[in-house]
Amino acid sequence: MQFRYYVELFSPLYFNPKKYQFFKFDNSIEDLILFQKGRIQGINFYSNIHSSLKIPDLANETQIQELEISPNKNYVIISRKENSIIEIFFRFNKPLKYEYQPKKMKKIGFTLLGIKWLDNLNFLLISNFRLEHMQVLTNKNGVKRIKSYNLGKIHGFTFSFENRIIILITGKNATTTNAFQFRPKQTIKLPIFELKYSRLKEPNETERNYCLEMNKNLMIVQIYRNLYCVQLIQEDKKVKIYLYQLNKESISTCSIETMIPRNKFALSVVDSLLLVHDMELKVTMIYDIRASDDDEAKITSPLSIKPFSINEKRLIDNKSKKSLKNNGKSEKKTVKNENNQNNQKIELYKDQWVHLPPNFVLDPVDGFVCIYKLDLYSIAVSITNQLSRVQFLLRRSNSKSILIKFIKTMIIENEKISLLSYLFDVINNIYNTVSYLENSKDTQTEKPVITIQNDMILSPKRKRKIKRSRSFEKKIENNKNQSTAPNIKRIGSVFVKGPKLPLEKLSKLKDLRNINKEKLVKKTKQNENRKQNQEIDLDINLDEINVFDEYEKDKNQKNQNQKNQKNQKKKNQNKKKRNGLPKTNPDGYVVLPQSDFYNNIFFPLFKRKAVEYEFLESVLTEYIRSLNELNIPVQVFLFSFLIEILLQQKKYSQIYHLVQYKVIPNTESLALQFAGVFSSYPQALCLALDGLKMRKESDLIIQILLSKRRVMQTLKFIHHEKLKNKLSLMTIQTILEFAYFAQDPLIFFTAWNFFQDQLKDNEDLWKDYQKKNELLIEKWNQK
Amino acid sequence: MNIFQIPRFDSFFIFRRVINLKNEADKIILYLPNKIPIDKQLLNIGFAQATIAFSRTFSSSFPQASLHTEKYRWVFFEPEPNYWMVFLIKNASNTQAKESKKNEKFKYEFTNDNCLFQALRKGYYMFSLFYHSFNHLITNYSLEELRNKVNQFFSFFIPTVDFIQTSLKKRLLSLFQGIRYYPLDKNMFLKVYCFVNMIESSFSKIKHSIFLYGSNLIWSSLNLSDTNSLYNFLCGYINPKPAVENEYLVGIEEFFIGKTASPQLPQPKNYFNWSLEDISKLPQNPDLFNYPELVFHITQTIAKARSNFSDFITGPKLDSKKNFFLPKIFVGNEEKKQHVLLIYKANKVIFCLLVEPDEKLQTMSFYNQMKKRIETEIETIVNNLFKSEHILQISSQNELLYKFLYFNEMNLALKETLSMCKEFELRHQFLMYLSSIVDSFYNSERLFINQEKRYFQLKNIEQQTKAQNQENNKDPIENNLDSQKQTQTEKYVNLDQNLIEVTTNINNSLWIVMKRAGSRLILMLVENQNLNISNISKEVDKLNAEFFRTIYLN
């Protein structure tokens, strides 16, 4: 099967470009900003929350060059094409205007490169002469300069709102970078690094165009939990990607050679994959920086984006929706009609397309904003090497279901056990690392680890999401464990990264795009509150999340201190030799806990009899071996399942073998399972009783013996264990009932006699049993 | 002059009960030694048949039984309906030659019925592993074929049977035909288990496999009885223990120190001499291989093998690449199916693969493929096992402090440290007495939970006999016999069928504790003069705590 598309445009947000005097997509607050006749409209891409701001002063404005809205949408900064005065408009209090003219503004050759909001009050002014950190004074309706940075001539910059990092291109040849991170109470200067190559300004080129061009090639993105500055440049007739990993102490560089020959390209990042779009050949290539060079998953074959079409009706709808918004008409009807309409195909890879990090595309001609979405299944299918495929999927964020599907088919197709064994090792390595972190987190909350590097890696929002998802999973797993092993903490979780919301949720959110205004206002307020809280949390979260990156170092330090872990090291070395696996797998996002394996892979295969039991047994034992080797406590249900498979094959002595070598642990539930299979495998009863005896579960032993109607054995057991006086009257009565049920006067008499002391206290019972005894003897005599 | 003769093998025969026979000799399937005239053979068989028929009147199903006569010991076993296997052992004798008169006295107590019976059983099950059953050979082939195969097999098997168990250790070991499991930690075991599974799943023709390390079993996917038979065979020929020729002598001399005994040693290996020439003359049947051929093939291949040998023992012949040696065995739960036995040996590891008969087995590529697959994986396992063996040696030094035997009927697990200790200088009557207790332990009806403990103590018997010796100056053997009678009567009085613990003191120095819990049995020997019975029970508790903590006892 050939899949023709790996990438598609997803979740379009439409607007009519002709209607607005100015529009842009702000990727920091993820809002589409539309300006028309003094009215600024913001539509959030993900939540579809509309916000608007009326500025009567701008009613006739046509010269807007920059328009930046603060995250809380209270302030708007505008700069015009001709003059270099920045006007700031206030939303609340009184709608006021403040004009700010930077010092030396009149100096010849001054160009404003950009304005970037840091939070609700602070913003950055980037001009070709300096970088200025400004703050809005709410009380005075004024602006205060907090600090200015003179760095020589600035050619361009790139900014990441999430991490509040700005990278400025400076120096004579526009190759030196100055990077700053703005945190609430301090500003950190990151190490200076040299860009590989930047083109010089052409004689005819205007300063502004040159700077824009500079900006275009730089991008700050997060890939595999690390922050990178990505640069795309043409080298030897081929485009090369340079990745500068931003750390607090140092900058490390790596590069990827692309297959794109021309200098017309764009870059997006989806789910830690680099998407390089060749705008001329109209193809996209996907690069995975974690895949090794000889790995098949390193690069996909160049394919176009999936054809994308706009529903004409939809366009009209969009307009009508906006006009009808106050009437609160539902969207459902339009969605139904959608299929019947003629779709207008849209030209892909337009020159006008604006790519915004990480994966936004703005089409100014047809008027929509989209994100790129990967078709993971198609990509995975295109990778023929099973191992690379699974490893590729393991690195993705939303690939769990696809991964399960592939593992399942591998088992159905009787893939080589050695390969499956290796895969289990890889998967469980991640599982182990994550659970280790979860455990270490619990213990280390009091003493946050001192951050050395990468403290800007995840945005607070994401961290919270991860935290939430983890705690949720934790609860589920804990609940599951409670019945069997309450002391074991095993946590499986999904690391949500890439798009801010999982794509599945996104589509649901689409439906929410028309909500009443009242609700919207409420929501925006809530959001504001949340955001404020976030900022307070920022520092703590940063430290917490660093546990992840410090894991290796921390562990090594511990190793030196603890004698016991020497052995572990040795073991790990062995593992490395055997599997060539690293000790931890930081690439992993997808964690497949044991319950997933059981519920989604093993049990369905067993139930449908899709695989021979013998093969399933081999696969399951490989899985258990892998867990055991990594010292992960194996959940009881897996053993119970293994026993079931062996019983189906009538491999009775093998079950005994596994118990003997303590592969199958001694737990109550397994003992009861053994007791249950007594009819087909008599020795299982012995196994069950052995196990229970070791666990000192005498009540259960009595119950089991009685259920097999072994009254005499029960009595012997009670006598031997000296339990006679500890038994409740209820238990004694049930034993006597069973003895009576046997219809053998000898058995009944023995039991009755045995419990004489206990029964004599209760006269009624004593008489009752006396009668029964006589009855039995009579019956016996009649026979 | 006294001449003592130890029990001797007289004959072993297999016969069948057929009605309307034209020729009486037709009922003989095997008679060893075969030089005995047919009349004598028929006489013995007739006697056995008569005994069986006679005893049937008292018991509808003839139980495992033996017949004690003055000169001989008869042990019967009916493995299949109407087929009988009989051992005929000549009792030990003491000849007092006074001038020209010879006065020969026979001592029947030197042979143990149970041990002999176990030997018969072991022989039959091993035979049926290779040839299915007596009936199968007759119905599918011919009586002649059955006679051939039985002759081939038992002429190799009988010499391995130990007829005189002169030491406690030997007697116990011949009684408990168990499997020694190799102690491994969970992870290492899982590695072996996964390796076996991997090989089995990579070659669909492989149906079962057995994994041994030295003479210890690690994994078997066969059922228990098949595992036991194959295990016995493999341990017998692939990992043979160094034969101690003088063993008999040492044992006997220790018993009769100070006597002018000149024991005549049996030479079982000379009874049936098979040479290579004989084997090459054997008739070739594509379905049924010749047992001597298998034994010779294996012993020769192993003799040639170097220390770093890692190859098939059966399957492709090492010297000539075109020939294949494919012995077939019968295994299975309900219906026995024929499988080709391929034995792979790497260092101490013996990995047996039971493969469905297939044309592929006659092609070299099949073996090359399989060998490649095994070789890549087995190396790490062999290395790991080798390391674990070293660790085990250190840890087993603790075990040496205790002399014990552990046997579990459920998986036939046998563990003993008796072989690591020196032979006990036991008076013969005690040996007899002990084995009779073990017999009653081993054969008594198994009940899951037994009655209360009974302590049973034997004291001062040795002193009594010594005193008697001094008084009467009698022959010690005869004297022992008297005391033997005493102890035996005591046995029947004091021991019932539901024994769960017996503590015995011998010579005031050796304590023997036997304990049973369900299907598990522990026998422990403590050598200490200063211990009393309560100390001993503490010692036993210590042993339990150290080695059998995780095994439910009581």
Side-chain angles (χ1 to χ4, degrees):
Chain A
M1 256 202 307
Q2 279 264 320
F3 287 83
R4 288 179 62 199
Y5 310 106
Y6 297 150
V7 188
E8 60 176 317
L9 293 170
F10 186 69
S11 177
L13 181 64
Y14 300 103
F15 64 97
N16 189 350
K18 286 163 196 165
K19 207 177 148 188
Y20 300 101
Q21 293 152 342
F22 175 87
F23 56 82
K24 69 172 251 185
F25 185 77
D26 190 333
N27 63 332
S28 42
I29 54 175
E30 291 155 353
D31 266 15
L32 174 70
I33 290 158
L34 306 164
F35 176 78
Q36 184 197 17
K37 289 174 187 170
R39 192 163 171 268
I40 302 166
Q41 224 187 341
I43 307 162
N44 191 282
F45 183 81
Y46 290 107
S47 66
N48 200 40
I49 290 168
H50 291 245
S51 56
S52 65
L53 183 62
K54 262 193 181 176
I55 302 166
D57 290 15
L58 299 173
N60 301 319
E61 188 60 61
T62 51
Q63 292 289 309
I64 291 174
Q65 183 201 330
E66 288 275 344
L67 192 154
E68 292 284 338
I69 301 181
S70 67
N72 61 359
K73 318 238 164 61
N74 282 351
Y75 309 101
V76 181
I77 304 175
I78 280 168
S79 72
R80 292 194 179 78
K81 279 172 192 165
E82 286 173 353
N83 60 32
S84 43
I85 298 165
I86 298 154
E87 286 176 61
I88 303 163
F89 296 92
F90 296 72
R91 177 187 184 141
F92 292 112
N93 303 330
K94 293 164 203 169
L96 264 178
K97 181 176 111 175
Y98 178 84
E99 288 186 13
Y100 172 77
Q101 193 169 19
K103 282 181 182 178
K104 295 174 187 174
M105 195 65 110
K106 283 167 188 170
K107 200 174 172 181
I108 306 153
F110 175 92
T111 324
L112 186 70
L113 295 175
I115 305 154
K116 291 287 169 193
W117 283 97
L118 289 173
D119 53 41
N120 290 334
L121 293 173
N122 295 290
F123 64 92
L124 293 172
L125 264 180
I126 309 110
S127 62
N128 58 352
F129 284 98
R130 78 180 90 163
L131 168 73
E132 280 170 290
H133 181 187
M134 314 294 289
Q135 194 176 45
V136 179
L137 300 169
T138 39
N139 301 334
K140 294 175 186 173
N141 285 339
V143 172
K144 180 184 146 193
R145 188 169 70 207
I146 291 175
K147 205 176 178 184
S148 78
Y149 304 86
N150 288 314
L151 303 156
K153 198 166 190 182
I154 298 170
H155 302 283
F157 75 96
T158 176
F159 177 73
S160 159
F161 178 75
E162 277 182 353
N163 308 291
R164 271 74 168 181
I165 288 180
I166 187 162
I167 297 174
L168 304 160
I169 307 167
T170 57
K172 262 188 183 178
N173 300 329
T175 52
T176 316
T177 58
N178 280 283
F180 299 93
Q181 188 187 21
F182 295 91
R183 298 175 73 178
K185 278 173 188 172
Q186 62 177 137
T187 307
I188 302 155
K189 192 172 190 301
L190 297 173
I192 293 173
F193 64 96
E194 291 283 316
L195 290 173
K196 283 298 161 203
Y197 169 78
S198 276
R199 71 184 184 90
L200 294 169
K201 192 181 157 188
E202 282 164 26
N204 298 334
E205 202 174 11
T206 61
E207 174 93 1
R208 194 173 171 79
N209 279 342
Y210 173 63
C211 291
L212 276 173
E213 201 64 27
M214 291 277 87
N215 295 354
K216 222 179 165 183
N217 293 352
L218 275 188
M219 196 188 258
I220 300 172
V221 283
Q222 249 166 237
I223 303 169
Y224 293 121
R225 272 186 236 118
N226 291 325
L227 204 62
Y228 288 95
C229 175
V230 186
Q231 186 196 14
L232 280 165
I233 47 173
Q234 195 176 15
E235 230 174 52
D236 301 332
K237 291 176 185 175
K238 266 193 179 173
V239 174
K240 211 169 180 184
I241 309 170
Y242 279 96
L243 293 154
Y244 308 91
Q245 195 185 337
L246 302 176
N247 300 325
K248 210 169 174 182
E249 307 268 288
S250 62
I251 306 286
S252 51
T253 318
C254 63
S255 67
I256 303 169
E257 259 188 44
T258 69
M259 302 195 304
I260 297 168
R262 284 169 193 82
N263 199 4
K264 223 173 179 184
F265 46 76
L267 183 82
S268 318
V269 174
V270 186
D271 205 359
S272 295
L273 290 173
L274 283 171
L275 270 61
V276 182
H277 314 284
D278 188 327
M279 304 304 278
E280 257 176 40
L281 289 175
K282 303 200 175 188
V283 284
T284 299
M285 270 167 276
I286 304 167
Y287 294 87
D288 185 358
I289 64 163
R290 277 285 155 97
S292 55
D293 287 341
D294 49 353
D295 197 331
E296 210 185 328
K298 180 89 186 169
I299 179 173
T300 63
S301 43
L303 282 178
S304 167
I305 305 169
K306 192 176 173 186
F308 181 69
S309 52
I310 295 180
N311 196 309
E312 275 178 56
K313 181 80 192 299
R314 177 118 196 186
L315 266 176
I316 301 156
D317 273 349
N318 237 1
K319 282 174 207 164
S320 60
K321 252 186 262 162
K322 270 161 202 164
S323 56
L324 288 168
K325 213 163 46 185
N326 289 338
N327 300 335
K329 231 184 179 179
S330 67
E331 205 192 10
K332 279 181 184 174
K333 282 179 188 172
T334 54
V335 173
K336 274 180 188 173
N337 294 333
E338 201 179 339
N339 296 335
N340 305 330
Q341 297 301 316
N342 289 327
N343 289 343
Q344 179 202 335
K345 275 201 175 178
I346 277 180
E347 187 200 341
L348 297 171
Y349 299 100
K350 268 180 229 148
D351 285 347
Q352 293 93 331
W353 274 13
V354 182
H355 284 88
L356 291 156
N359 59 341
F360 293 105
V361 195
L362 173 72
D363 188 329
V365 182
D366 287 314
F368 64 88
V369 185
C370 270
I371 51 167
Y372 285 111
K373 186 192 163 192
L374 297 173
D375 188 346
L376 280 181
Y377 187 77
S378 314
I379 301 173
V381 166
S382 75
I383 303 166
T384 49
N385 185 327
Q386 302 269 32
L387 189 64
S388 321
R389 178 194 288 168
V390 172
Q391 278 176 334
F392 170 82
L393 285 172
L394 276 171
R395 290 192 289 260
R396 306 282 76 80
S397 60
N398 279 311
S399 59
K400 202 170 183 171
S401 56
I402 301 172
L403 189 62
I404 286 171
K405 202 174 172 182
F406 275 112
I407 295 175
K408 225 165 149 181
T409 43
M410 277 169 88
I411 297 173
I412 290 172
E413 286 164 7
N414 284 13
E415 190 55 62
K416 276 177 191 167
I417 292 279
S418 50
L419 180 70
L420 286 170
S421 152
Y422 186 83
L423 279 185
F424 292 153
D425 284 346
V426 171
I427 291 167
N428 288 331
N429 238 318
I430 298 165
Y431 176 46
N432 195 26
T433 315
V434 173
S435 31
Y436 172 86
L437 284 167
E438 290 292 337
N439 290 337
S440 66
K441 244 186 154 183
D442 292 342
T443 54
Q444 288 178 7
T445 38
E446 287 172 9
K447 288 180 185 175
V449 184
I450 303 157
T451 58
I452 301 171
Q453 60 171 45
N454 291 356
D455 56 345
M456 54 288 222
I457 273 160
L458 285 183
S459 71
K461 242 190 208 174
R462 284 178 192 178
K463 275 171 222 158
R464 284 215 318 199
K465 264 177 208 161
I466 290 168
K467 218 177 158 186
R468 253 182 257 149
S469 71
R470 278 184 197 169
S471 61
F472 176 67
E473 290 259 346
K474 213 176 192 173
K475 274 179 199 167
I476 297 172
E477 286 271 342
N478 280 351
N479 284 339
K480 276 180 194 164
N481 291 344
Q482 264 172 7
S483 58
T484 52
N487 296 330
I488 301 161
K489 273 189 183 175
R490 268 302 119 179
I491 297 98
S493 59
V494 181
F495 281 65
V496 183
K497 231 200 112 235
K500 287 201 173 181
L501 284 168
L503 291 172
E504 288 81 4
K505 282 185 186 172
L506 234 168
S507 52
K508 283 181 193 168
L509 280 171
K510 269 186 185 175
D511 304 335
L512 293 172
R513 275 189 180 172
N514 280 334
I515 317 169
N516 289 340
K517 240 188 177 179
E518 286 172 29
K519 283 182 186 172
L520 288 174
V521 174
K522 273 186 191 173
K523 277 202 172 179
T524 42
K525 276 185 183 173
Q526 283 172 358
N527 269 3
E528 275 167 25
N529 289 335
R530 259 187 217 165
K531 281 184 181 173
Q532 277 168 9
N533 291 335
Q534 267 175 31
E535 273 157 22
I536 298 161
D537 287 339
L538 192 74
D539 270 355
I540 307 158
N541 283 339
L542 277 171
D543 288 337
E544 267 187 28
I545 209 69
N546 261 297
V547 175
F548 220 110
D549 302 288
E550 289 308 302
Y551 167 60
E552 286 265 9
K553 283 187 182 176
D554 222 58
K555 210 180 176 188
N556 288 338
Q557 281 168 7
K558 277 181 194 167
N559 277 351
Q560 284 167 1
N561 298 334
Q562 291 179 5
K563 282 178 187 175
N564 295 344
Q565 295 195 349
K566 275 184 182 177
N567 294 332
Q568 262 191 8
K569 265 191 173 179
K570 275 182 189 173
K571 275 183 194 170
N572 286 329
Q573 279 171 358
N574 287 339
K575 264 179 227 164
K576 273 184 188 174
K577 273 178 199 170
R578 206 175 73 79
N579 297 330
L581 279 175
K583 199 153 111 191
T584 57
N585 191 348
D587 306 359
Y589 295 109
V590 176
V591 176
L592 283 177
Q594 296 170 44
S595 52
D596 271 343
F597 261 98
Y598 176 72
N599 290 326
N600 300 322
I601 301 174
F602 294 138
F603 191 69
L605 289 176
F606 176 75
K607 211 176 172 187
R608 281 193 285 134
K609 293 187 179 177
V611 204
E612 276 180 30
Y613 289 152
E614 211 171 346
F615 187 73
L616 199 60
E617 179 204 328
S618 316
V619 175
L620 186 62
T621 44
E622 275 296 342
Y623 183 64
I624 291 174
R625 177 202 57 80
S626 168
L627 288 171
N628 263 320
E629 253 170 40
L630 292 162
N631 294 323
I632 304 171
V634 185
Q635 302 267 335
V636 182
F637 52 76
L638 285 178
F639 292 118
S640 155
F641 184 53
L642 178 65
I643 294 166
E644 188 58 41
I645 295 175
L646 289 169
L647 282 173
Q648 290 286 338
Q649 299 179 76
K650 294 183 180 175
K651 288 188 171 178
Y652 301 126
S653 65
Q654 280 70 27
I655 295 177
Y656 202 98
H657 221 92
L658 291 172
V659 174
Q660 186 192 347
Y661 279 103
K662 294 188 185 93
V663 173
I664 294 175
N666 178 16
T667 68
E668 198 184 297
S669 59
L670 291 179
L672 291 174
Q673 194 185 355
F674 282 132
V677 297
F678 168 73
S679 55
S680 53
Y681 175 40
Q683 283 176 351
L685 184 66
C686 191
L687 280 177
L689 294 174
D690 283 0
L692 291 172
K693 176 91 186 197
M694 262 188 275
R695 295 177 70 85
K696 292 176 182 166
E697 308 264 7
S698 19
D699 285 350
L700 267 173
I701 294 180
I702 293 172
Q703 276 181 33
I704 289 173
L705 286 174
L706 282 179
S707 72
K708 310 290 176 222
R709 299 190 182 161
R710 299 188 173 188
V711 181
M712 292 308 280
Q713 270 192 32
T714 318
L715 296 181
K716 277 178 186 172
F717 173 75
I718 293 165
H719 178 72
H720 193 79
E721 294 290 302
K722 290 164 190 161
L723 293 169
K724 202 172 163 183
N725 296 322
K726 290 172 194 166
L727 291 178
S728 66
L729 200 63
M730 270 291 281
T731 332
I732 293 171
Q733 272 177 290
T734 33
I735 294 170
L736 284 168
E737 286 303 318
F738 270 97
Y740 183 69
F741 194 70
Q743 295 288 313
D744 184 339
L746 202 61
I747 291 176
F748 185 77
F749 184 76
T750 319
W752 180 45
N753 238 8
F754 188 72
F755 292 116
Q756 234 175 18
D757 298 342
Q758 281 81 0
L759 287 171
K760 271 181 181 172
D761 297 342
N762 196 327
E763 270 189 31
D764 293 345
L765 270 176
W766 176 253
K767 282 178 184 171
D768 187 32
Y769 285 119
Q770 209 165 8
K771 271 182 192 174
K772 279 187 177 174
N773 189 33
E774 282 163 10
L775 255 170
L776 271 181
I777 293 168
E778 259 181 45
K779 270 190 187 176
W780 192 261
N781 288 336
Q782 279 172 12
K783 276 183 186 176
Chain B
M1 196 181 126
N2 279 353
I3 296 169
F4 179 78
Q5 281 191 315
I6 56 161
R8 282 149 292 171
F9 169 80
D10 186 276
S11 47
F12 166 77
F13 49 89
I14 302 170
F15 66 92
R16 57 179 182 144
R17 202 169 69 101
V18 201
I19 308 160
N20 299 332
L21 268 182
K22 283 176 189 169
N23 187 356
E24 271 294 298
D26 280 356
K27 65 184 172 189
I28 307 171
I29 292 167
L30 174 72
Y31 201 103
L32 291 174
N34 37 22
K35 282 171 192 168
I36 290 178
I38 197 107
D39 293 350
K40 181 90 190 294
Q41 288 182 16
L42 284 171
L43 198 71
N44 277 342
I45 288 169
F47 182 72
Q49 230 176 333
T51 313
I52 293 159
F54 172 69
S55 58
R56 273 254 161 91
T57 53
F58 303 104
S59 159
S60 56
S61 61
F62 187 76
Q64 62 141 24
S66 57
L67 179 69
H68 295 209
T69 63
E70 196 197 4
K71 284 185 182 174
Y72 294 100
R73 175 73 53 94
W74 301 68
V75 183
F76 307 97
F77 178 48
E78 186 182 14
E80 292 169 38
N82 297 328
Y83 286 89
W84 292 91
M85 292 163 75
V86 182
F87 252 142
L88 192 53
I89 309 293
K90 196 168 188 186
N91 284 335
S93 63
N94 195 13
T95 317
Q96 285 183 329
K98 281 179 183 172
E99 293 169 0
S100 60
K101 281 183 183 176
K102 271 190 180 180
N103 184 13
E104 194 175 17
K105 278 187 178 179
F106 290 95
K107 320 283 178 194
Y108 61 85
E109 69 278 4
F110 281 84
T111 40
N112 183 293
D113 295 347
N114 238 327
C115 294
L116 290 171
F117 182 75
Q118 288 292 344
L120 280 178
R121 265 192 51 178
K122 183 180 168 185
Y124 174 74
Y125 283 110
M126 225 149 109
F127 175 83
S128 66
L129 182 74
F130 293 108
Y131 300 109
H132 197 281
S133 62
F134 297 148
N135 204 23
H136 174 85
L137 283 171
I138 282 198
T139 47
N140 290 317
Y141 301 95
S142 62
L143 179 63
E144 209 43 49
E145 193 70 68
L146 171 68
R147 281 179 176 154
N148 270 335
K149 296 304 166 197
V150 164
N151 182 29
Q152 285 172 16
F153 179 81
F154 282 99
S155 57
F156 272 84
F157 177 76
I158 296 298
T160 63
V161 179
D162 187 9
F163 297 104
I164 37 158
Q165 297 86 23
T166 47
S167 70
L168 179 67
K169 186 190 91 189
K170 274 189 190 171
R171 183 153 291 189
L172 288 174
L173 291 184
S174 58
L175 204 58
F176 298 102
Q177 298 286 346
I179 299 169
R180 283 158 210 263
Y181 288 88
Y182 192 68
L184 272 182
D185 72 325
K186 184 173 70 179
N187 284 350
M188 195 53 226
F189 170 75
L190 270 172
K191 265 183 199 164
V192 175
Y193 181 27
C194 287
F195 163 76
V196 173
N197 272 338
M198 195 196 71
I199 299 295
E200 275 187 31
S201 63
S202 339
F203 300 92
S204 59
K205 289 286 166 197
I206 301 174
K207 293 295 160 196
H208 298 283
S209 42
I210 272 198
F211 193 99
L212 274 90
Y213 186 68
S215 52
N216 299 294
L217 183 76
I218 293 178
W219 174 255
S220 158
S221 61
L222 290 166
N223 64 32
L224 203 55
S225 64
D226 287 338
T227 305
N228 197 11
S229 305
L230 190 55
Y231 171 84
N232 282 334
F233 170 77
L234 292 170
C235 287
Y237 290 106
I238 296 187
N239 282 317
K241 285 168 197 164
V244 185
E245 288 290 333
N246 300 331
E247 215 171 350
Y248 298 107
L249 197 68
V250 173
I252 297 296
E253 275 180 347
E254 276 179 2
F255 284 128
F256 306 100
I257 284 167
K259 285 280 148 192
T260 53
S262 58
Q264 288 177 5
L265 289 175
Q267 292 176 313
K269 276 164 196 171
N270 295 339
Y271 279 139
F272 323 100
N273 253 338
W274 284 89
S275 65
L276 263 177
E277 275 179 35
D278 297 335
I279 289 164
S280 59
K281 282 174 196 166
L282 286 172
Q284 294 291 327
N285 185 331
D287 276 357
L288 297 169
F289 69 98
N290 296 311
Y291 187 75
E293 219 176 327
L294 173 68
V295 173
F296 267 78
H297 179 82
I298 288 175
T299 44
Q300 280 187 339
T301 319
I302 287 174
K304 280 177 199 167
R306 290 173 193 172
S307 60
N308 58 352
F309 180 83
S310 177
D311 209 336
F312 286 102
I313 290 177
T314 56
K317 283 182 182 172
L318 284 180
D319 30 2
S320 58
K321 291 285 171 190
K322 282 173 192 173
N323 283 328
F324 297 94
F325 182 67
L326 305 170
K328 286 167 190 169
I329 63 172
F330 289 89
V331 289
N333 277 333
E334 283 136 20
E335 198 188 341
K336 294 207 166 193
K337 282 180 186 167
Q338 203 172 25
H339 291 85
V340 174
L341 173 70
L342 297 179
I343 305 171
Y344 189 93
K345 191 175 190 294
N347 200 336
K348 274 175 137 185
V349 169
I350 295 161
F351 185 37
C352 290
L353 301 158
L354 303 189
V355 192
E356 252 182 15
D358 191 74
E359 283 178 3
K360 267 188 189 174
L361 286 164
Q362 301 286 353
T363 58
M364 203 56 207
S365 64
F366 177 77
Y367 296 100
N368 287 337
Q369 214 180 342
M370 204 186 287
K371 192 183 167 186
K372 205 179 166 187
R373 196 105 186 86
I374 294 173
E375 263 179 349
T376 49
E377 297 286 334
I378 211 165
E379 199 182 335
T380 50
I381 287 175
V382 169
N383 288 339
N384 280 328
L385 285 173
F386 188 72
K387 275 176 205 162
S388 74
E389 189 181 28
H390 186 67
I391 297 162
L392 213 70
Q393 275 172 0
I394 297 162
S395 67
S396 66
Q397 280 169 359
N398 266 342
E399 285 176 12
L400 286 175
L401 297 173
Y402 300 93
K403 285 137 195 168
F404 66 88
L405 179 141
Y406 165 81
F407 182 70
N408 183 355
E409 279 170 35
M410 279 198 286
N411 60 350
L412 301 177
L414 179 76
K415 187 178 172 65
E416 49 94 19
T417 54
L418 301 175
S419 51
M420 290 173 181
C421 57
K422 60 172 186 179
E423 286 291 334
F424 297 103
E425 287 183 30
L426 288 178
R427 283 288 174 183
H428 189 73
Q429 77 271 24
F430 296 113
L431 190 68
M432 291 303 300
Y433 169 63
L434 274 173
S435 47
S436 67
I437 295 177
V438 175
D439 285 1
S440 62
F441 249 89
Y442 191 50
N443 291 319
S444 58
E445 195 188 336
R446 278 122 217 164
L447 278 175
F448 192 72
I449 294 162
N450 276 295
Q451 286 176 342
E452 56 199 341
K453 294 176 188 177
R454 280 184 198 215
Y455 288 100
F456 181 81
Q457 207 176 352
L458 248 183
K459 272 187 178 177
N460 302 326
I461 289 173
E462 178 68 10
Q463 286 173 358
Q464 281 175 17
T465 48
K466 269 183 187 173
Q468 280 175 4
N469 283 349
Q470 283 165 2
E471 278 173 27
N472 307 335
N473 205 12
K474 272 185 184 174
D475 177 4
I477 294 172
E478 208 171 274
N479 209 350
N480 289 347
L481 237 163
D482 295 338
S483 59
Q484 173 67 29
K485 279 173 192 166
Q486 275 181 3
T487 50
Q488 280 214 337
T489 48
E490 229 175 311
K491 172 195 159 189
Y492 292 120
V493 171
N494 287 299
L495 305 177
D496 71 352
Q497 289 291 298
N498 294 330
L499 273 177
I500 111 150
E501 184 164 334
V502 174
T503 308
T504 315
N505 185 8
I506 291 165
N507 273 358
N508 261 348
S509 62
L510 177 70
W511 286 85
I512 298 178
V513 183
M514 273 172 278
K515 225 178 160 180
R516 198 178 65 202
S519 57
R520 301 179 178 93
L521 188 141
I522 288 180
L523 191 144
M524 188 186 164
L525 307 174
V526 186
E527 280 178 296
N528 195 332
Q529 286 188 335
N530 306 321
L531 291 177
N532 60 29
I533 195 158
S534 67
N535 292 349
I536 287 298
S537 75
K538 276 177 196 168
E539 280 287 310
V540 174
D541 288 345
K542 250 197 240 170
L543 173 86
N544 279 352
E546 200 159 338
F547 301 112
F548 307 109
R549 196 177 43 225
T550 52
I551 300 164
Y552 152 52
L553 283 174
N554 296 333

